[in-house]
């Protein structure tokens, strides 16, 4: 075997899921743990994983040796659901929320998503670029190495493209790999408030073909919710996207169960997301349709809602991923570490199950599992060295950054 570019040695425990397909049922918690491990990296790709003494033939005079000091190493975290690009923040809504004003009431009064639409429309592409790069910098320090980004605060072709362009530019200028989802069906814009059908037609006839043709997004998402888009409107938008070779995602059963998870399975959506109030039929439909559940525990926490029935989903054979849902309204949290802690405490998922959810299954939900999501020979060297000796420790402790070193494509990009 060739001389390697980098070798991480003295790894206390290497913990990883394995494979390129979503893990469901009992497999959700199948993790490989190798003690006293080392990982060799060549051209940004993992070329060898071993344990004990590092094979001397791998070390040349230019090989960089990284001592993991007996710590835990995992794959980089994959955040499969964010609303990354937005103008403004909405701290003024906190007081309303604390008084118990429901999330959808704030939206109905022209606040919520619609207030972020106003601030996003009035921001230039460069302003959005600057603001989003700050968020990405924080995410990287917290261990996120791959991230999905939804549009949906533009709600017109011009402003949706502006958001998607920001993601495109950031994909080339900073380490976190980004996957774009087109989500003009996030709310009905004020100018269409008496003509929702007209807005659905605009998405289907004008926006989607343009986004697909210019390859501005790989996925399409719809907020299937009371007073937003109903099941049939969601079906129309998502099946149009599928015909244009975009994968379907759906915000389903976040506040009211109006058929979103059932629809997800019926159209074989790649993922259904939120699922806080998903009914039994929805879970069954997702299992039958091969849909991944992307659960967002910090949203339940922040909105003071119940928590999705993750155990039921696992038992029914639905692969579970977890994601931050970072956005200015329902959860301004961008930490995958906090997300994983809450997932474990509130979904009662084991550390092994949550690790799969935040790496392999999340990578599958955004079409990246051939390259990222596990620590295996042939995959990209996206790795985290944790300030912890084992997997249980990072779930047991919470509230501070436990990531020590972040490696993206074989390069050290953060040393906390
Ligand atoms: O996933 N529910 C819809 N979209 C986001 C919230 C967006 C916002 O409030 O700005 C969510 O919760
Ligand atoms: Fe969301």
């Amino acid at each position: 075997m060739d001389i390697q570019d980098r070798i991480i040695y003295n790894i206390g425990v290497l913990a990883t899921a394995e494979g390129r397909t979503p893990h469901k049922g009992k497999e959700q918690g199948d993790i490989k743990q190798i003690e006293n491990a080392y990982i060799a990296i060549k051209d940004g790709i993992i070329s060898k994983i071993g344990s004990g003494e590092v094979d001397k033939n791998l070390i040349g005079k230019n090989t960089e040796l990284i001592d993991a000091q007996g710590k835990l190493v995992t794959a980089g975290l994959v955040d499969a659901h964010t609303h990354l690009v937005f103008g403004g923040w909405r701290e003024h809504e906190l007081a309303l929320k604390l008084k118990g004003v429901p999330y959808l009431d704030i939206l109905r009064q022209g606040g919520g998503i619609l207030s972020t639409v106003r601030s996003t429309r009035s921001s230039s592409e460069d302003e959005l670029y600057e603001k989003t790069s700050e968020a990405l910098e924080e995410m990287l320090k917290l261990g996120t190495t791959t991230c999905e980004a939804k549009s949906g605060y533009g709600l017109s072709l011009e402003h949706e493209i502006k958001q998607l362009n920001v993601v495109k530019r950031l994909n080339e200028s900073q380490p976190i790999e980004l996957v774009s989802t087109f989500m003009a069906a996030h709310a009905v814009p004020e100018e269409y408030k008496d003509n929702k059908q007209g807005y659905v037609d605009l998405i289907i006839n004008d926006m989607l073909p343009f986004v697909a043709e210019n390859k501005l997004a790989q996925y399409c998402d719809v907020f299937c919710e009371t007073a937003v888009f109903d099941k049939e409107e969601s079906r129309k938008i998502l099946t149009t996207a599928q015909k244009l070779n975009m994968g379907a995602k759906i915000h389903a059963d976040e506040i009211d169960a109006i058929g979103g998870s059932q629809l997800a399975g019926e159209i074989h959506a790649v993922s259904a997301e939120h699922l806080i109030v998903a009914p039994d039929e929805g879970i069954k439909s997702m299992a039958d349709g091969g849909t991944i559940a992307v659960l967002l525990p910090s949203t339940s926490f922040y909105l003071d809602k119940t928590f999705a029935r993750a155990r039921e989903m696992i038992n029914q054979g639905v692969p579970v991923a977890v994601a931050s849902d970072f956005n200015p309204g329902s959860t301004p949290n961008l930490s995958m570490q906090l997300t994983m802690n809450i997932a474990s405490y509130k979904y009662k998922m084991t550390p092994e199950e949550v690790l799969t959810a935040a790496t392999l299954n999340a990578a599958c939900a955004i079409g990246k599992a051939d390259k990222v999501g596990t620590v295996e020979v042939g995959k990209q060297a996206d790795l985290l060295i944790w300030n912890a000796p084992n997997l249980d420790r990072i779930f047991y402790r919470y509230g501070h950054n436990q990531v020590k070193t972040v490696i993206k494509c074989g390069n050290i990009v953060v040393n906390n």
Side-chain angles (χ1 to χ4, degrees):
M1 188 163 231
D2 296 352
I3 301 294
Q4 303 295 302
D5 297 335
R6 277 189 191 87
I7 297 174
I8 307 168
Y9 69 101
N10 194 15
I11 297 171
V13 188
L14 166 59
T16 183
E18 291 179 293
R20 288 168 160 76
T21 51
H23 282 187
K24 56 188 181 183
K26 270 175 57 125
E27 271 193 333
Q28 176 92 36
D30 272 352
I31 291 291
K32 186 169 180 181
Q33 303 219 28
I34 308 173
E35 288 181 12
N36 192 17
Y38 67 86
I39 301 169
I41 302 166
K42 176 98 181 151
D43 298 328
I45 304 291
I46 298 169
S47 49
K48 180 163 178 171
I49 297 169
S51 64
E53 276 290 292
V54 178
D55 181 348
K56 292 276 180 293
N57 298 322
L58 304 175
I59 307 174
K61 65 175 185 336
N62 291 325
T63 305
E64 185 189 349
L65 295 170
I66 302 168
D67 182 358
Q69 299 173 331
K71 308 283 190 191
L72 169 73
V73 168
T74 69
L77 304 175
V78 179
D79 194 343
H81 179 140
T82 79
H83 302 259
L84 188 66
V85 184
F86 55 87
W89 289 95
R90 307 218 299 266
E91 61 269 34
H92 56 277
E93 283 176 13
L94 177 61
L96 294 174
K97 189 176 85 86
L98 296 177
K99 273 192 218 139
V101 181
Y103 177 80
L104 287 179
D105 284 4
I106 298 176
L107 178 62
R108 275 191 204 98
Q109 290 156 20
I113 295 173
L114 292 174
S115 102
T116 303
V117 170
R118 288 190 289 276
S119 45
T120 304
R121 284 181 175 179
S122 63
S123 303
S124 70
E125 189 180 301
D126 285 346
E127 283 165 348
L128 293 174
Y129 176 93
E130 284 311 320
K131 182 164 189 286
T132 310
S133 39
E134 282 169 26
L136 285 168
E137 217 172 287
E138 287 181 51
M139 292 164 96
L140 188 68
K141 285 186 193 147
L142 290 161
T144 298
T145 50
T146 304
C147 176
E148 185 251 20
K150 300 176 196 294
S151 67
Y153 291 122
L155 309 190
S156 69
L157 187 55
E158 177 194 350
H159 295 289
E160 286 289 306
I161 292 171
K162 181 172 70 178
Q163 279 191 280
L164 295 169
N165 275 340
V166 169
V167 176
K168 202 170 160 191
R169 282 171 58 192
L170 283 164
N171 223 352
E172 282 148 24
S173 64
Q174 56 76 55
I176 299 182
E177 217 167 317
L178 300 170
V179 173
S180 259
T181 296
F182 170 66
M183 199 179 177
H186 193 196
V188 179
E190 270 154 338
E191 63 275 19
Y192 278 91
K193 89 171 177 301
D194 301 318
N195 179 19
K196 185 166 32 148
Q197 186 55 47
Y199 186 58
V200 172
D201 290 343
L202 180 75
I203 294 175
I204 289 176
N205 299 327
D206 296 349
M207 294 195 194
L208 267 171
F210 185 90
V211 170
E213 195 182 323
N214 292 284
K215 299 202 179 342
L216 288 171
Q218 293 91 311
Y219 294 96
C220 176
D221 197 340
V222 175
F223 191 14
C224 181
E225 187 57 68
T226 303
V228 192
F229 297 96
D230 66 23
K231 185 178 175 187
E232 289 319 308
E233 289 158 347
S234 303
R235 187 196 302 276
K236 261 196 217 144
I237 294 168
L238 291 174
T239 53
T240 304
Q242 287 173 322
K243 285 188 199 123
L244 294 165
N245 288 322
M246 294 166 75
K249 291 179 168 289
I250 178 163
H251 275 60
D253 308 332
E254 178 177 358
I255 293 154
D256 296 325
I258 62 161
S261 47
Q262 286 93 321
L263 173 64
E266 287 162 24
I267 64 168
H268 304 282
V270 175
S271 59
E273 325 209 331
H274 284 287
L275 302 167
I276 294 176
V277 292
D280 291 346
E281 313 83 83
I283 295 175
K284 178 159 191 323
S285 173
M286 289 172 61
D288 293 345
T291 299
I292 299 171
V294 177
L295 304 184
L296 311 163
S298 79
T299 311
S300 285
F301 172 69
Y302 189 79
L303 292 180
D304 202 13
K305 298 277 180 191
T306 53
F307 285 79
R309 292 187 294 154
R311 181 59 54 203
E312 186 61 21
M313 293 175 202
I314 293 172
N315 288 345
Q316 296 297 322
V318 177
V320 170
V322 295
S324 72
D325 193 22
F326 174 52
N327 73 74
S330 67
T331 184
N333 157 51
L334 48 65
S335 168
M336 277 297 285
Q337 290 182 56
L338 179 63
T339 301
M340 291 160 72
N341 285 118
I342 305 177
S344 171
Y345 307 153
K346 302 304 284 190
Y347 298 150
K348 312 275 186 249
M349 285 170 70
T350 65
E352 291 80 5
E353 289 171 332
V354 178
L355 182 65
T356 301
T359 54
L360 174 61
N361 283 1
C364 292
I366 56 172
K368 285 276 179 190
D370 51 336
K371 285 165 64 189
V372 306
T374 66
V375 185
E376 288 178 284
V377 171
K379 286 220 190 179
Q380 228 165 261
D382 289 10
L383 304 165
L384 304 179
I385 304 175
W386 295 78
N387 237 328
N390 56 53
L391 189 62
D392 284 350
R393 176 73 67 82
I394 65 170
F395 285 88
Y396 155 72
R397 297 198 62 192
Y398 77 109
H400 68 297
N401 189 0
Q402 298 187 76
V403 165
K404 190 168 167 280
T405 305
V406 181
I407 297 167
K408 179 70 186 176
C409 293
N411 298 314
I412 295 181
V413 288
V414 172
N415 242 326
N416 283 320

